[in-house]
Amino acid sequence: MHDVVVLGVGQSEFGKFPERGIAEMGGAAARTAIADAGIDPGDLQAAFSSRVYEAMITSQTILKDLGVTGIEMVNVENACAGGSTAVRSLYKDIAAGYVDVGIAIGVESMTTSPVAGKLIPPDRYDLDGQMGLSMPVLFALQAKRLMETHGAKEEDFAQVSVKAHEFGALNPKAQYRKRFTVEEVLGSRMIADPITLLQCCPNTDGAAAVVLASADFARKYTEKPVRITGSSLISGDYDFKRADLTTMPLGVQAAAAAYEQAGIGPEDVDVVELHDAFATEELVHYEDLGLCPRGESVGLLRSGATSLGGRIPVNPSGGLLSLGHPLAASGVRIICELTDQLRGRAGDRQVPGARVGLAQMLGGAATGLDAGAASVHILTV
Amino acid sequence: MTTSTTSTPFREGLFREGPDGPALLAGRCTRCGRVSFPAPDMCLDCRGRELETVELGGEAELLCATTVHMPNRHFPPGHAVGFVVLPGGVRIFTQLRPVEDKPFRSGMPMELEIAPLWREDDADVLAYRFVPA
Ligand SMILES: [Zn+2]
């Protein structure tokens, strides 16, 4: 296995841009990542891109405008974990020695997608989907269990969103750069009790890209490489195997695999970016990632450890709640954020002295499964 | 709801209606005993190939409930959904019908109801939902 590093990162503007095609947004992210890496577009040997809606030759559509043709291009989909899947696929090809350098891109035009402004449903023929299951509904029901089993209050869920927006206000790339109070979050329109509008990620268009390279290739371009020391991708398991809805076993499994590969434990992580499409789920991920013992996620949140200036800041980018969530872009975008954090160039939201970052994404729902896919990457300097 | 229009079950093999009330139908593995709803083609636990149809009855316990304030495909804003646990521990996602004076709370007894839940191709679609008992 070759060591793999993040050589360059790029993110397009995030927001509502129905007039912008995926070539424009993906191209903006890819150009930035290639320039950040310091390579020539012609150096790229492989491309993996992800998009959930209306996906067709996404890599080619974006990269033809950058002069990149005639290389291996693969296009993947894994719901919200699609971007992470693209990153991991490229990571594996470089680690295995098939290619030395490549690009992973995630892009989504949510405002022009069939789910614009709607609750994101599972597959059209999915049983639970037909019966009214959607992503916010699933997380609302999980939140109800957290209130029963963990003593979580509606104010705690709102606090997750308040925290995300405090970070987002410091991030020039965030869709929303506005702070909210707990009262404002609770007072916003109810979507699925207890989840209010300000506890849901907004509809967002945008793209993110990373250039990955073998450590050997990267040596010419950087003296302080950000290494990928752990990478995992796990599909969902049968729902009947979990005792309760307040854990997602595939997330536990993805975390364990990444920690083992990196040779570290959760106590070694300095900064986390995770899937907070809905504020309530963040508490579940705390426990599934091992950031606190089982049952103590509410205490971890209330302690302020995961907030700005805390022991282990979670979603310093502003998260999906504040930065925005172009589905397939988010898995790539979290790698961008952590790379900036580990390089010490995250501006006002910099986590001081961060050396180890953990990026987690979760995606998809289907009847009988705990979720579709979970992915964890660990970055180290 | 009127009975003058045609009605079709949402899917075959999910439930049956009888004189003693409705029941959900599940598949029970003859090898390991795992009961699955909806009945799968093979046991999802041990991959056994032989399953027998069993009735899960019409009683359940509410695990959690939420009211959804957005339209969601077949259902208008204000519909209630949740997870209920059937005898034997089978947990399913379902529509819920609220009843005045019986607010949803975890652990409350629930009763199965087969009702027209939406319309498709000019016919009522019959599906399952649970009501506070
Ligand atoms: Zn079996």
Side-chain angles (χ1 to χ4, degrees):
Chain A
M1 290 252 292
H2 298 262
D3 282 340
V4 179
V5 309
V6 183
L7 198 54
V9 300
Q11 188 197 314
S12 77
E13 200 181 347
F14 274 27
K16 294 189 195 305
F17 311 113
E19 73 288 359
R20 294 186 194 173
I22 62 131
E24 182 178 349
M25 296 188 290
R31 277 187 196 91
T32 308
I34 290 165
D36 186 38
I39 63 168
D40 186 86
D43 294 331
L44 293 174
Q45 298 166 10
F48 287 84
S49 295
S50 185
R51 179 161 50 138
V52 176
Y53 293 105
E54 298 177 327
M56 208 194 305
I57 55 166
T58 304
S59 295
Q60 295 89 323
T61 303
I62 294 167
L63 291 172
K64 71 180 176 59
D65 295 342
L66 279 70
V68 183
T69 55
I71 62 167
E72 182 169 348
M73 294 188 184
V74 181
N75 304 298
V76 302
E77 179 280 309
N78 232 345
C80 303
S84 303
T85 305
V87 170
R88 173 165 166 77
S89 301
L90 175 58
Y91 162 82
K92 287 198 297 183
D93 271 9
I94 295 171
Y98 285 108
V99 295
D100 304 309
V101 57
I103 191 164
I105 305 169
V107 61
E108 207 75 53
S109 173
M110 291 301 288
T111 59
T112 65
S113 78
V115 297
K118 294 184 186 165
L119 305 177
I120 297 178
D123 179 73
R124 180 166 182 77
Y125 295 97
D126 184 82
L127 176 80
D128 287 350
Q130 290 254 16
M131 292 300 286
L133 191 73
S134 63
M135 298 314 284
V137 167
L138 195 61
F139 286 114
L141 290 168
Q142 182 184 62
K144 289 286 192 170
R145 292 302 298 156
L146 286 168
M147 296 172 86
E148 285 280 329
T149 61
H150 285 59
K153 305 278 181 227
E154 289 180 352
E155 289 77 12
D156 294 314
F157 301 139
Q159 176 57 34
V160 172
S161 186
V162 168
K163 170 178 81 65
H165 284 92
E166 275 170 4
F167 280 123
L170 303 175
N171 186 351
K173 295 195 185 98
Q175 181 172 1
Y176 293 115
R177 300 196 60 188
K178 186 173 175 349
R179 291 180 178 83
F180 294 97
T181 64
V182 166
E183 291 70 31
E184 284 170 321
V185 173
L186 289 177
S188 63
R189 186 159 62 89
M190 188 61 83
I191 300 297
D193 165 38
I195 296 176
T196 61
L197 184 65
L198 287 176
Q199 293 169 67
C200 301
C201 60
N203 255 336
T204 308
D205 304 324
V210 294
V211 171
L212 306 186
S214 67
D216 284 343
F217 181 96
R219 204 157 289 135
K220 293 194 291 270
Y221 299 92
T222 176
E223 287 171 359
K224 197 188 172 197
V226 173
R227 293 182 301 136
I228 298 180
T229 50
S231 170
S232 69
L233 174 65
I234 307 286
S235 74
D237 204 346
Y238 294 120
D239 185 60
F240 65 72
K241 291 189 180 174
R242 60 174 169 167
D244 194 37
L245 306 174
T246 56
T247 179
M248 310 193 81
L250 78 169
V252 176
Q253 212 185 328
Y259 284 136
E260 188 187 346
Q261 187 191 349
I264 63 162
E267 66 282 0
D268 300 313
V269 176
D270 299 316
V271 53
V272 175
E273 283 282 314
L274 56 71
H275 183 267
D276 62 337
F278 303 95
T280 56
E281 62 174 300
E282 182 162 315
L283 295 174
V284 170
H285 302 324
Y286 287 173
E287 294 181 16
D288 287 349
L289 292 172
L291 304 184
C292 64
R294 183 94 16 226
E296 295 181 18
S297 54
V298 176
L300 183 71
L301 175 76
R302 289 179 187 168
S303 76
T306 58
S307 302
L308 190 62
R311 174 174 60 80
I312 176 149
V314 171
N315 290 337
S317 64
L320 313 183
L321 288 167
S322 168
L323 183 68
H325 184 27
L327 304 190
S330 290
V332 182
R333 197 274 306 156
I334 54 177
I335 303 291
C336 299
E337 172 68 18
L338 291 179
T339 299
D340 282 343
Q341 289 285 350
L342 300 190
R343 284 175 172 174
R345 57 177 203 188
D348 294 340
R349 63 188 193 285
Q350 177 67 44
V351 176
R355 300 183 57 83
V356 178
L358 182 148
Q360 176 263 18
M361 271 289 131
L362 180 84
T367 300
L369 296 179
D370 52 356
S375 175
V376 171
H377 283 90
I378 293 172
L379 307 187
T380 310
V381 285
Chain B
M1 293 280 179
T2 76
T3 51
S4 60
T5 54
T6 45
S7 53
T8 52
F10 162 45
R11 283 186 198 186
E12 293 300 328
L14 286 180
F15 53 83
R16 67 130 187 82
E17 290 182 277
D20 51 338
L24 291 181
L25 303 175
R28 183 182 169 280
C29 174
T30 57
R31 188 158 80 185
C32 78
R34 165 69 60 191
V35 177
S36 306
F37 176 89
D41 292 330
M42 59 177 276
C43 176
L44 304 178
D45 206 352
C46 77
R47 298 189 176 85
R49 306 306 294 242
E50 267 187 53
L51 283 94
E52 57 189 11
T53 301
V54 292
E55 297 200 356
L56 291 176
E59 290 171 12
E61 196 177 278
L62 184 65
L63 184 65
C64 49
T66 181
T67 304
V68 184
H69 297 267
M70 298 260 297
N72 201 359
R73 197 162 171 185
H74 306 307
F75 308 103
H79 63 278
V81 295
F83 281 98
V84 297
V85 180
L86 298 154
V90 179
R91 183 172 61 216
I92 68 163
F93 174 80
T94 179
Q95 287 281 318
L96 302 174
R97 179 162 68 79
V99 171
E100 226 175 307
D101 303 333
K102 287 184 183 172
F104 296 127
R105 58 172 175 75
S106 188
M108 80 193 294
M110 304 291 284
E111 218 167 59
L112 175 65
E113 178 175 271
I114 305 300
L117 292 196
W118 67 87
R119 286 181 65 80
E120 225 166 80
D121 301 329
D122 284 331
D124 284 330
V125 177
L126 293 177
Y128 52 88
R129 69 180 171 196
F130 281 81
V131 192

